Amino acid sequence: MNNPIKGKVLEFINQNFLNDRKLLREKANVFLKDPHVTNLFRKEFEKVNTVVHFQSLSSETDRFSKEEMGDISDVWTFYLNEDIDEVDTSEGYEDWDFEKYLKTGKPLHCCRVWINWFLNIYYIQAFEISKKGKIETESIIRIADPYEKGKYNSVLNIMKENGYEKMTDELALIKVKSVSTDCNDDPTVFDCLFSDIIYPVHFRIN
């Protein structure tokens, strides 16, 4: 990622994460009244035509408290397998862990996208979930199957068409001094802009 983007990212963090994140809290509370980024991609991602799970604090609250900021991003997880066209609800709930599917021995191929609310920046990762017995593992993968690759590329194209730039690991893992998030007193750029709870697979492993 080029230096102008890096400079913009660090400038945003340094301006909004100081003074107990007062400015950021004000921005976030305005956003929650009109979550335009969420609404935009909720509509755009319908074009991918695959099962997708949405996670965002904006769907759970209408105001951030002084004690907790939460994340300032939306997290979308796409399930790419061609034989998955819906979420199992046979047990009376939506099984987003895909327990029955994993018990068949097949791996889940997923694409997860983090989208910042205030900067046109996103992070994306393709990964696999597999289960042997009671042991469930996650690992990053390179999408090879043509059907799955088509879905993955659809997500990339949507981000590009809407003017969003992909964040590199190099920038995401930069430590930011003199700021903190709810769950991390020594945060990275990723912690600040995306999430200090929902991490990419290889960030958790490392």
Side-chain angles (χ1 to χ4, degrees):
M1 184 170 288
N2 57 37
N3 287 332
I5 298 299
K6 177 180 177 181
K8 185 177 180 180
V9 164
L10 295 178
E11 180 182 14
F12 176 87
I13 293 173
N14 288 327
Q15 286 180 348
N16 290 279
F17 278 76
L18 298 176
N19 299 321
D20 195 31
R21 294 173 286 176
K22 182 177 182 294
L23 287 178
L24 185 62
R25 187 173 291 103
E26 292 173 358
K27 287 179 185 287
N29 284 331
V30 170
F31 175 86
L32 291 176
K33 293 177 182 178
D34 177 24
H36 54 282
V37 174
T38 305
N39 295 336
L40 168 66
F41 286 104
R42 193 186 299 277
K43 182 177 180 180
E44 286 287 285
F45 286 153
E46 289 179 359
K47 301 174 185 177
V48 182
N49 193 28
T50 193
V51 176
V52 58
H53 185 226
F54 169 71
Q55 292 172 273
S56 174
L57 188 57
S58 65
S59 66
E60 299 171 2
T61 186
D62 60 2
R63 186 170 181 82
F64 283 118
S65 69
K66 184 177 180 180
E67 292 75 24
E68 291 187 347
M69 266 298 306
D71 297 331
I72 54 169
S73 72
D74 294 330
V75 184
W76 302 81
T77 304
F78 299 84
Y79 297 88
L80 306 177
N81 304 59
E82 190 170 4
D83 59 348
I84 292 178
D85 56 11
E86 62 182 359
V87 177
D88 180 37
T89 58
S90 61
E91 299 298 325
Y93 61 91
E94 294 184 340
D95 178 22
W96 287 107
D97 292 326
F98 289 87
E99 293 179 0
K100 286 187 177 180
Y101 188 88
L102 290 172
K103 283 180 180 178
T104 68
K106 299 178 183 178
L108 274 173
H109 285 175
C110 310
C111 163
R112 183 166 288 154
V113 183
W114 292 255
I115 305 176
N116 184 265
W117 290 346
F118 307 112
L119 299 174
N120 284 18
I121 293 174
Y122 73 101
Y123 187 91
I124 188 169
Q125 182 180 72
F127 64 101
E128 177 183 277
I129 303 173
S130 58
K131 192 167 187 177
K132 292 184 177 180
K134 295 183 179 181
I135 300 176
E136 185 171 303
T137 59
E138 295 184 6
S139 56
I140 57 174
I141 59 171
R142 184 182 296 275
I143 300 295
D145 177 84
Y147 175 86
E148 296 177 4
K149 195 168 185 178
K151 298 298 183 183
Y152 182 81
N153 287 339
S154 292
V155 175
L156 292 179
N157 289 336
I158 287 170
M159 302 310 298
K160 183 177 180 179
E161 289 167 1
N162 284 279
Y164 277 70
E165 184 161 0
K166 182 167 60 174
M167 179 176 285
T168 63
D169 283 359
E170 181 183 8
L171 177 54
L173 292 172
I174 289 176
K175 291 282 189 177
V176 187
K177 298 179 180 179
S178 303
V179 304
S180 63
T181 62
D182 288 346
C183 300
N184 198 337
D185 292 328
D186 185 29
T188 62
V189 165
F190 189 94
D191 289 308
C192 296
L193 292 190
F194 298 117
S195 180
D196 58 3
I197 297 175
I198 307 172
Y199 285 112
V201 172
H202 64 303
F203 287 13
R204 298 199 306 267
I205 293 172
N206 294 333

